[in-house]
Amino acid sequence: MDLEKQPQKPVAPAEPAPVGPAPVPGAPGDSLRASDADRDRIADILGDALAEGRIDAEEHSERIDAVYRAKTVGELEPIVRDLPAGTRPRQAPDSAHAYGPEDTSGPADNLVAVFSSTTRKGRWRVGRRTNAFSLFGNIEIDLTEALFAQRLTTINATSVFGNVEVRVPENISLRGNGTGIFGNFEVVAMEAADPQAPLVVINGYSVFGNVEARPKRGKWITDLQGRLRKHLGH
């Protein structure tokens, strides 16, 4: 038999290889809109990583900014992919968390002082984020008697020919990342002995002004868990 005269079957063209990583079964789609709860979950992971020394304050600030700019779940997950809690679902703690229910829908607190003075002190419930802007003015934020509804609290402070002062109890964790341009940006970093103590992070800058955060001598938060539950009626 003459093999050269046999008709040849057409060869089907090869399908193009898919571009990008293969989809993970059960994983949220990249286009799924991120909720406030999704962003808070990622922010909590970053707060834990900062407290454990896995990332420094500068990297924490950069990642937190990315968290609150993210629009979809696909943008959030890569931010913590290299952190232990970011590679597996977060497990609920053995005991109920002490901070009580969080307000996941509320906006950031805004404190503004323009040729004036603004003070926040006494018994008040601290939000997750506070923006403080001082222009030829003075802002005082006193957290020594405040109630923390969450572990991580971020304060973004900007001072232009003004002053922003933050006072915290001696038994919480305090971190800072900022710059002084012909001015002063000073955060007295400290680490609480209690791993469940609140963590306050100060970000920002001063231009011919002052941003300062430090503990207030003799002020302590006692019974971190019981005080808030009593205040909230739990």
Side-chain angles (χ1 to χ4, degrees), residues 33-103:
R33 298 289 292 189
S35 67
D36 287 338
D38 292 328
R39 295 186 183 91
D40 291 340
R41 177 177 62 86
I42 300 300
D44 286 344
I45 294 173
L46 292 174
D48 291 342
L50 176 62
E52 295 168 359
R54 297 183 186 275
I55 59 176
D56 58 23
E58 181 177 0
E59 187 174 2
H60 176 268
S61 175
E62 293 173 354
R63 296 197 189 197
I64 283 291
D65 288 343
V67 166
Y68 291 106
R69 286 197 309 266
K71 301 297 184 183
T72 67
V73 173
E75 296 175 57
L76 285 174
E77 297 302 334
I79 298 175
V80 294
R81 188 169 292 162
D82 59 339
L83 301 175
T87 59
R88 63 182 186 275
R90 289 175 65 84
Q91 302 293 326
D94 295 335
S95 58
H97 199 280
Y99 291 107
E102 293 188 33
D103 181 9

Side-chain angles (χ1 to χ4, degrees), residues 124-202:
W124 58 291
R125 185 171 177 176
V126 182
R128 296 189 312 277
R129 296 182 305 281
T130 297
N131 301 319
F133 176 76
S134 173
L135 174 63
F136 290 99
N138 182 71
I139 296 177
E140 179 186 356
I141 303 174
D142 190 337
L143 301 176
T144 56
E145 297 182 15
L147 297 167
F148 292 85
Q150 65 286 318
R151 182 167 185 269
L152 173 63
T153 298
T154 302
I155 298 176
N156 300 311
T158 302
S159 174
V160 181
F161 291 98
N163 183 56
V164 177
E165 294 184 7
V166 182
R167 294 293 179 262
V168 302
E170 290 190 76
N171 58 333
I172 74 166
S173 296
L174 180 63
R175 296 285 181 272
N177 178 48
T179 303
I181 303 173
F182 295 103
N184 178 58
F185 184 96
E186 181 182 1
V187 175
V188 179
M190 59 185 186
E191 184 70 30
D194 184 352
Q196 293 301 318
L199 169 63
V200 177
V201 177
I202 312 294

Side-chain angles (χ1 to χ4, degrees), residues 101-121:
E102 293 188 33
D103 181 9
T104 58
S105 59
D109 293 331
N110 294 308
L111 302 177
V112 179
V114 179
F115 290 96
S116 63
S117 178
T118 299
T119 302
R120 181 68 62 86
K121 63 181 180 178

